[in-house]
Amino acid sequence: MKCRMQKNGIWRVQWILLCLFTLCSVSCKDDETNQVLPYNPNLPVEITGFTPETGGGGTRMVVYGKNFGTDVSLMKLTVGGLDAKIINVLGDCMYCTIPQKAYKGNLVLTVGEGEQAQTVEAEKKFAYVRQMVVSTLCGKVDEKGKFDVKEGPFDDCGGIDYPTWFSFDPNNKDILYLAQDGQNMRVLDLKSKYLHNAVPKGGAGLDRMRTITWTLDGDTMIIANDRDGDTYANNIYIVRKKGEELHKQFIDNPRAMQQGRGCNGSAVHPTNGELYYNSFYSGEVFRYDYWAAKDDKGGFDYSLREKLYNIQDKDWEFNFVIHPTGTYAYIVVINQHYIMRTDYDRDRKTFGTPYLICGLAGKGDEGRGWVDAVGEKVRLNEPYQGVFVLDTNPERKGDKYDFYFTDKMNHCIRILTPDGQVSTFAGRGSSALNNDPWGYVNGGLRSEARFDRPCALAYDEETKTFYVGDTSNHCIRKIAMEEGDEQEESENN
């Protein structure tokens, strides 16, 4: 996937533009008075050029011309028929931000009011390039942060309680299941744009639904159930009810598959179907051949599980995400702020001893932070759900999958490469608002977008779309290419 943010390059461009504007402001001063002149309605307004000449929404741009004046309140600039944000103006140059979806690219400037106003249009068009942006798919709260929990179309489905884990129906990519730690499961029908209720709490002891995984045929859902008790079901399965409406196929009849305390995560191996799951209280990892343990009546022999190892110590909250090829898995340690890797031994049919891939292991809260780096120099703050995303660059060698994951308390989405390099993909933008990294802002991935404790993450490879469970904003966000008129964009470029 060719959407990794080149953060250093972007900030370098912004600094260059700021320097250009500063130099421009110096040259804009009147030679005799050494002061910037206000708008003069008796002199013509002109646009003589702008830089850069191409970019997407959120691009900072310097516009050159004559007789702009000094009062931003007297100016209006549109790009592609949409209002651009004017940051500053100094006589013969202005500093502004390109709006989203400005596909037409024509610059129209109005200076002054009433009969003294002048409107001009630049001879050249800005070449708008569509980009990946953050938007809101569904869920909203009122001005007091309150919301209803209800079924309904995406534009009227209330708020989302606590969206912590996503999983697509493997046999229908229009159906996206949402586990909510401590709440009922929901299901999003992406085709009909409707939010439904799904698996309720209570059945077979379902309480804290932490993760969702699937048998290889895609007809059985397995839910990691986090409860405090050795005899409680820690993995619960539901068999697809074929013939029902898509969103009703995994509603009822949950049954226990395994039992034990504090299961934070389960994952089925993509080639041989083994189930791997954990225990929070002792930091244990188990392997379970559930098909061999199943009897003729649908029950299971719980003793046929194999303990592999303890990852570190007790009270380690973690989940598994297995590589699409099954060659390795990442162990995402939420409450200790690091990610480990465990390699799969095909001969022994088991995962080996895990080792650190990024973050600071064994240091607890000392490992909290937001640092893009490599390996132990990386700092995370409650990494949560991750997905493997194929990089389609034909020149890339070796493992072509990157790992995108939510970093909950850093309020962002990050990328982990196979060699342990971590970068920030989306979030923590709109720095001009305040110094907080959290919030609710849509727009450019790094320039504008803000999240507030994102947890759930899913990726649709066909549409190149990410879905994000934004827990404290009680909504589902979407990261995708801007929608627009591709033909018009192509013609302008």
Side-chain angles (χ1 to χ4, degrees):
M1 181 178 182
K2 299 179 181 179
C3 61
R4 186 179 306 165
M5 295 296 295
Q6 301 297 325
K7 183 176 68 173
N8 292 336
I10 289 174
W11 285 112
R12 189 177 300 115
V13 169
Q14 302 299 342
W15 275 110
I16 290 172
L17 286 175
L18 185 59
C19 292
L20 282 173
F21 180 74
T22 303
L23 290 172
C24 175
S25 67
V26 173
S27 66
C28 288
K29 291 181 179 180
D30 180 81
D31 291 337
E32 297 181 358
T33 65
N34 201 34
Q35 293 181 352
V36 177
L37 296 176
Y39 167 63
N40 186 344
N42 297 315
L43 296 176
V45 174
E46 298 180 24
I47 297 177
T48 59
F50 52 86
T51 186
E53 296 182 349
T54 184
T59 297
R60 303 292 180 92
M61 181 171 70
V62 176
V63 181
Y64 307 100
K66 294 182 179 180
N67 197 27
F68 293 164
T70 59
D71 190 348
V72 172
S73 68
L74 295 178
M75 305 183 68
K76 179 179 180 180
L77 176 68
T78 63
V79 182
L82 301 172
D83 290 341
K85 181 181 179 181
I86 300 175
I87 300 171
N88 203 352
V89 59
L90 289 170
D92 290 351
C93 54
M94 76 174 78
Y95 192 38
C96 63
T97 304
I98 299 297
Q100 303 287 340
K101 303 183 180 180
Y103 301 117
K104 293 181 179 179
N106 56 315
L107 273 71
V108 178
L109 173 65
T110 299
V111 184
E113 296 178 315
E115 295 181 355
Q116 294 187 330
Q118 298 185 58
T119 299
V120 295
E121 183 169 351
E123 293 183 0
K124 191 171 185 178
K125 290 184 176 182
F126 179 79
Y128 190 89
V129 179
R130 290 196 305 157
Q131 61 181 351
M132 297 285 283
V133 295
V134 177
S135 61
T136 300
L137 180 71
C138 63
K140 59 184 178 181
V141 300
D142 63 22
E143 61 277 2
K144 296 182 179 180
K146 298 185 180 299
F147 58 92
D148 296 322
V149 177
K150 62 180 183 179
E151 296 181 292
F154 283 171
D155 59 359
D156 185 24
C157 60
I160 315 298
D161 307 58
Y162 193 43
T164 52
W165 192 271
F166 276 134
S167 186
F168 280 105
D169 182 334
N171 295 340
N172 192 317
K173 290 299 185 180
D174 290 327
I175 300 298
L176 180 60
Y177 284 90
L178 171 62
Q180 304 188 104
D181 186 358
Q183 306 294 331
N184 297 330
M185 188 181 293
R186 314 294 296 277
V187 57
L188 292 82
D189 188 327
L190 300 174
K191 186 174 183 179
S192 66
K193 299 181 179 180
Y194 204 95
L195 177 65
H196 300 274
N197 293 326
V199 183
K201 291 174 56 178
L206 272 172
D207 184 27
R208 297 181 62 190
M209 296 181 245
R210 299 299 299 269
T211 67
I212 302 170
T213 188
W214 305 83
T215 54
L216 296 186
D217 61 8
D219 284 335
T220 300
M221 174 192 290
I222 302 174
I223 304 167
N225 185 41
D226 194 346
R227 295 199 65 175
D228 184 9
D230 291 330
T231 60
Y232 284 117
N234 62 8
N235 280 275
I236 292 174
Y237 74 100
I238 304 175
V239 178
R240 185 189 300 274
K241 295 179 68 174
K242 297 180 179 179
E244 291 282 355
E245 295 179 75
L246 291 175
H247 66 276
K248 295 182 178 179
Q249 293 186 350
F250 292 96
I251 292 289
D252 50 24
N253 199 28
R255 303 183 66 181
M257 176 179 281
Q258 183 54 264
Q259 66 180 18
R261 304 172 66 201
C263 182
N264 308 142
S266 303
V268 169
H269 195 279
T271 60
N272 56 34
E274 303 156 343
L275 180 69
Y276 291 84
Y277 69 94
N278 79 332
S279 171
F280 166 79
Y281 294 99
S282 54
E284 295 172 306
V285 176
F286 295 94
R287 173 183 174 274
Y288 185 45
D289 289 339
Y290 55 88
W291 62 89
K294 190 174 183 180
D295 60 32
D296 295 338
K297 298 180 180 180
F300 290 85
D301 184 348
Y302 299 148
S303 67
L304 296 180
R305 66 178 186 179
E306 176 188 0
K307 177 184 173 180
L308 300 181
Y309 43 73
N310 296 71
I311 66 161
Q312 282 285 336
D313 203 343
K314 63 180 182 179
D315 298 344
W316 253 235
E317 180 185 8
F318 60 99
N319 60 61
F320 305 89
V321 184
I322 303 177
H323 192 276
T325 63
T327 53
Y328 66 87
Y330 285 138
I331 298 177
V332 180
V333 188
I334 299 169
N335 66 343
Q336 299 298 320
H337 325 296
Y338 61 89
I339 298 175
M340 305 183 79
R341 171 171 165 161
T342 174
D343 296 322
Y344 187 71
D345 186 331
R346 293 190 182 277
D347 294 332
R348 297 174 55 235
K349 291 183 62 178
T350 188
F351 281 105
T353 302
Y355 53 93
L356 183 71
I357 189 71
C358 70
L360 188 62
K363 299 295 184 179
D365 285 348
E366 186 180 335
R368 288 182 185 267
W370 177 60
V371 178
D372 287 339
V374 180
E376 289 188 344
K377 295 182 179 179
V378 172
R379 292 295 177 267
L380 312 175
N381 197 347
E382 297 190 20
Y384 211 92
Q385 184 175 8
V387 292
F388 283 97
V389 176
L390 178 66
D391 185 346
T392 57
N393 182 358
E395 297 182 0
R396 176 165 170 171
K397 306 300 181 183
D399 187 350
K400 293 182 178 292
Y401 284 89
D402 292 320
F403 188 67
Y404 289 66
F405 64 95
T406 52
D407 198 354
K408 180 181 176 181
M409 298 308 294
N410 276 326
H411 314 285
C412 60
I413 315 301
R414 303 178 81 176
I415 307 172
L416 168 63
T417 64
D419 58 1
Q421 175 78 49
V422 172
S423 59
T424 301
F425 173 61
R428 302 178 68 97
S430 297
S431 58
L433 288 178
N434 51 48
N435 293 326
D436 298 329
W438 62 83
Y440 177 58
V441 182
N442 288 324
L445 298 185
R446 294 287 284 115
S447 60
E448 298 170 293
R450 286 191 179 190
F451 303 94
D452 196 345
R453 303 189 182 192
C455 285
L457 185 67
Y459 179 68
D460 185 334
E461 188 171 351
E462 182 176 339
T463 64
K464 305 292 187 292
T465 301
F466 291 90
Y467 298 94
V468 183
D470 199 355
T471 61
S472 289
N473 284 320
H474 302 289
C475 65
I476 307 302
R477 312 287 286 280
K478 183 171 78 169
I479 302 176
M481 191 65 71
E482 285 178 290
E483 298 176 356
D485 190 332
E486 295 185 33
Q487 181 178 356
E488 183 175 57
E489 177 191 357
S490 177
E491 291 173 354
N492 288 339
N493 290 339

